[in-house]
Amino acid sequence: MFNTDENAGRNALRILGMILCGFGIIMLLGAIMGFLSVHMAEGGGPLNMSDYAIVAALISVNLMLAFAIWRLLQQMKRSDQKVPQREKVYNRFMVGSFLFGGVTGLIFALTGSFDANETNLFASGAMSPTLAIIMSVAIGVIMPAVTFYWHKNVVDEQEEAAYRFGALIAMYAFWFIAPVWWFLWRGGMLPNVNGIVLYFMTLSVALIVWFWKKYR
Amino acid sequence: MKNQLKVLRAMRNWSQADLGEHLDVSRQAVNAIETGKYDPSLPLAFKISRLFDLPIEQIFDDEFEGAVDV
């Protein structure tokens, strides 16, 4: 029992692997959708053999990635006989969030509910009021409530410290990156400062530092 | 900070998960404390102290060897 903990130390790599596989699945689903959209735009009709081969290859890679996630999850479960109650709640919360986000995104993508331009996070083009309200409520109302519950009831003090350190480094990153970008824009070397890009850069720094502090 | 947590845990044949369950923290937290990558808060240190029935200074060592001026 005592020695099984050494195996648990690799869980950071397993989680990282699962996240990368998840992103891979989302990107490949996008590729399949894109391929079929182009086919439809070119007149549609039945797919020929090479089209089927391409779609089948993309689906096969997706299935392999899904299998890899399942295997990594099984390895994580085997890495120790039992998991503390707090960690179980944490894991259920994480899996639930990923499933909810993934299924919602997939439904939007498969039903073609919104135009690709308006769902592009890095674009500043016009967005339908419906999607604007959905996103605002999700980020401005639901996320703060979930985050409050998350910090109050789910994370332990070691992870809380990881979040604090991540936030500190992200704040410094913002303090330094924003004015440097602004100066370089004024010097004509960079495009105008983009608030959303800065937001994602800050968020990325916070998440990378949090991950390193929690799992190193 | 150096500590005896891994030794004390081994003496009871507990896994990190077992200790995490007793302390209501994750295995990552137990691992981080054991390896000296994270120093627990005072409330958690007291909880550890009560769990193993030992004073805090017998579990955690800040490697201070001088005398405290009062």
Side-chain angles (χ1 to χ4, degrees), chain A:
Chain A
M1 181 189 285
F2 185 73
N3 290 330
T4 56
D5 293 325
E6 307 311 322
N7 198 20
R10 296 180 178 212
N11 283 348
L13 286 175
R14 293 188 184 113
I15 289 169
L16 194 60
M18 285 193 281
I19 290 170
L20 291 176
C21 288
F23 278 124
I25 288 173
I26 291 167
M27 284 178 184
L28 283 171
L29 282 175
I32 294 169
M33 293 299 296
F35 182 80
L36 294 176
S37 301
V38 169
H39 177 77
M40 294 302 286
E42 287 174 350
L47 296 172
N48 59 34
M49 281 308 285
S50 63
D51 291 339
Y52 273 121
I54 291 169
V55 173
L58 291 172
I59 291 172
S60 302
V61 176
N62 247 352
L63 290 174
M64 282 192 282
L65 289 174
F67 179 70
I69 291 175
W70 180 77
R71 280 297 300 269
L72 288 166
L73 205 60
Q74 294 304 310
Q75 285 175 9
M76 269 183 72
K77 281 184 178 174
R78 274 201 303 270
S79 67
D80 207 341
Q81 280 92 343
K82 69 174 197 181
V83 175
Q85 184 59 28
R86 183 186 281 270
E87 218 177 310
K88 280 183 192 163
V89 176
Y90 183 100
N91 292 342
R92 283 177 198 146
F93 214 94
M94 289 287 271
V95 171
S97 303
F98 275 118
L99 283 178
F100 178 74
V103 169
T104 308
L106 205 59
I107 289 170
F108 282 166
L110 292 176
T111 55
S113 308
F114 301 104
D115 185 63
N117 287 326
E118 61 177 337
T119 52
N120 185 344
L121 284 174
F122 294 99
S124 297
M127 182 181 262
S128 69
T130 310
L131 184 59
I133 290 168
I134 289 173
M135 292 306 292
S136 300
V137 170
I139 305 291
V141 180
I142 298 171
M143 281 292 283
V146 171
T147 306
F148 179 77
Y149 180 84
W150 176 256
H151 283 276
K152 193 153 175 23
N153 301 300
V154 183
V155 301
D156 61 21
E157 63 169 64
Q158 184 253 350
E159 177 157 10
E160 199 63 51
Y163 274 118
R164 277 199 299 273
F165 192 64
L168 176 72
I169 300 300
M171 183 189 74
Y172 278 122
F174 180 82
W175 279 3
F176 301 136
I177 291 170
V180 166
W181 190 347
W182 185 57
F183 286 128
L184 291 176
W185 166 66
R186 291 175 65 187
M189 283 167 272
L190 280 181
N192 201 352
V193 177
N194 184 322
I196 288 297
V197 173
L198 269 178
Y199 165 77
F200 278 109
M201 284 169 80
T202 310
L203 193 66
S204 302
V205 170
L207 287 175
I208 290 166
V209 175
W210 160 80
F211 188 84
W212 168 67
K213 286 293 275 184
K214 179 171 164 63
Y215 292 105
R216 73 193 163 126

Side-chain angles (χ1 to χ4, degrees), chain B:
Chain B
M1 191 182 286
K2 285 185 179 175
N3 62 74
Q4 300 297 312
L5 214 54
K6 194 167 183 174
V7 176
L8 293 168
R9 183 166 66 80
M11 285 164 65
R12 283 159 179 77
N13 200 26
W14 283 350
S15 66
Q16 288 180 336
D18 293 324
L19 184 53
E21 189 73 63
H22 283 290
L23 299 174
D24 192 27
V25 296
S26 65
R27 286 173 296 173
Q28 286 82 24
V30 172
N31 187 61
I33 296 168
E34 283 185 353
T35 52
K37 288 172 183 164
Y38 172 71
D39 293 332
S41 66
L42 210 47
L44 183 56
F46 272 109
K47 207 169 178 179
I48 294 168
S49 162
R50 278 193 294 273
L51 180 65
F52 291 110
D53 200 21
L54 286 169
I56 288 177
E57 60 269 29
Q58 275 190 34
I59 302 172
F60 296 96
D61 177 13
D62 68 351
E63 298 175 83
F64 178 74
E65 291 177 352
V68 178
D69 292 329
V70 283

